Amino acid sequence: MTAAAAGGAARVAGLREALASRVVVADGAMGTMLQAQDPSMEDFEQLEGCNEVLNVTRPDIVRSVHEAYFAVGVDCVETNSFGANLAALGEYDIPERIFELSEAGARIAREVADEFAAGDGRARWVLGSVGPGTKLPTLGHAPYAALRDAYQQNVEGLVAGGADAVLVETTQDLLQTKASVIGARRAMAAAGVDLPLLVQVTVETTGTMLLGSEIGAALTALEPLGIDMIGLNCATGP
């Protein structure tokens, strides 16, 4: 094992220990922080609103967001990869860039996290953000296998860029959640790593997920997948 790999393994072990023993504070919004810096259409490569492209064209903007959160004391930042999936990048006609943009986003976050950790000796972690996209497989919007394979590319990029954990977030359809979890597991197996896998489902004002699953059903469906932590985010919150 290389020194870098050993350091990464120790960092991941530290994250697992922290999650099991204390409150771990993560960052907040990414998109609004990016938009506040008024990136140009050129920055977006004429793909207006495709925040993930900024990982390549304006890494300085993305870096500044991570720096701002670490500066106020968070333990973790999420990668700028919420839309690096088949559905979202497919709408911009660039689905072939899933790995590239995921890896670039993770690399930027890793560099900033390591700089802050070196500065004061306190561990900083990178959560690889896996967003839901806009296609719900239960409703036939996209084939399950295509979504799963694209999520695998997403997570392969996040792992390659140095993420310490995978955060599947804002899921609205349990079949889509499963596709992302299975894709993530395949990516980690291919890379020979075992990172914490965190999943956040989204509950609407109705008290259920978008397609009608209540939280008990979500827990029953997700627990057998061997997830490290299950939570809620977005919509009406916990």
Side-chain angles (χ1 to χ4, degrees), residues 27 29-45 50-69 77-80 104-105 108-109 111-112:
D27 58 4
M30 168 63 72
T32 48
M33 294 276 280
L34 294 172
Q35 297 294 336
Q37 301 195 51
D38 199 25
S40 68
M41 284 296 288
E42 184 177 344
D43 294 334
F44 283 123
E45 296 182 342
C50 186
N51 290 333
E52 290 71 27
V53 166
L54 300 175
N55 293 337
V56 173
T57 62
R58 291 297 305 274
D60 57 309
I61 289 180
V62 179
R63 163 180 278 272
S64 72
V65 175
H66 296 320
E67 289 173 341
Y69 280 118
V77 295
E78 296 181 45
T79 56
N80 179 38
I108 295 165
E111 290 171 357
V112 179

